[in-house]
Amino acid sequence: MSFQRTRMSADRTLMSVIRTSLSLISFGFTIYQVFTNWLKSPGAAIAQEAPRNFGIALVMVGILLLMAGIAYHVRYMTQLREERTQMIADGLIHGQSEYPVSLTLICAVVLLCIGLLAIASMVFDVRPFG
């Protein structure tokens, strides 16, 4: 049972990274969109590239944080699986149940792809969804 609790704890840690990354990515993309449209109005008193640069910076921080969280999670789960396999081989625990795939990790990878699409949209001025 302790392996299951440890696995769930690692998933919760990755979920907190996902939550923070999602906030950074969405806030950065929103700032980029809102202020870019605001610059089109007459009399806008803001530097032309400021919203783009600030939005890109926030999205990049979100993407980098997510990549670090995914790497940490994969490394930790690999070590945990190896330890479990060794304990099964030594006869210390029963290994009858399967070690499930982390749905949280799948969600993190999907969010990473969305973040990469967002940064490509901002940097190269392409519209992947429109």
Side-chain angles (χ1 to χ4, degrees):
M1 285 303 277
S2 66
F3 278 101
Q4 293 299 337
R5 284 191 298 271
T6 305
R7 185 186 59 81
M8 288 188 295
S9 175
D11 278 348
R12 282 191 299 272
T13 302
L14 183 58
M15 281 190 269
S16 68
V17 170
I18 290 172
R19 189 173 46 247
T20 305
S21 297
L22 180 61
S23 297
L24 286 166
I25 291 168
S26 62
F27 191 61
F29 192 74
T30 302
I31 284 178
Y32 169 76
Q33 288 293 321
V34 167
F35 284 108
T36 300
N37 290 332
W38 184 56
L39 282 173
K40 294 176 184 174
S41 66
I46 191 170
Q48 198 72 13
E49 295 296 316
R52 179 180 179 270
N53 294 340
F54 187 62
I56 288 173
L58 285 176
V59 173
M60 282 301 299
V61 169
I63 288 172
L64 292 174
L65 176 67
L66 190 57
M67 289 170 68
I70 289 171
Y72 172 80
H73 183 78
V74 167
R75 185 171 47 98
Y76 186 79
M77 294 303 280
T78 302
Q79 290 173 351
L80 191 63
R81 284 178 188 220
E82 289 172 0
E83 184 177 340
R84 181 176 184 263
T85 303
Q86 184 61 42
M87 290 181 81
I88 291 169
D90 292 342
L92 298 173
I93 61 172
H94 297 288
Q96 297 160 345
S97 63
E98 288 291 321
Y99 209 73
V101 175
S102 174
L103 295 177
T104 309
L105 180 60
I106 294 169
C107 180
V109 170
V110 169
L111 178 61
L112 178 63
C113 293
I114 292 171
L116 292 173
L117 282 174
I119 198 77
S121 172
M122 295 166 73
V123 171
F124 302 114
D125 198 30
V126 290
R127 306 286 178 237
F129 300 116

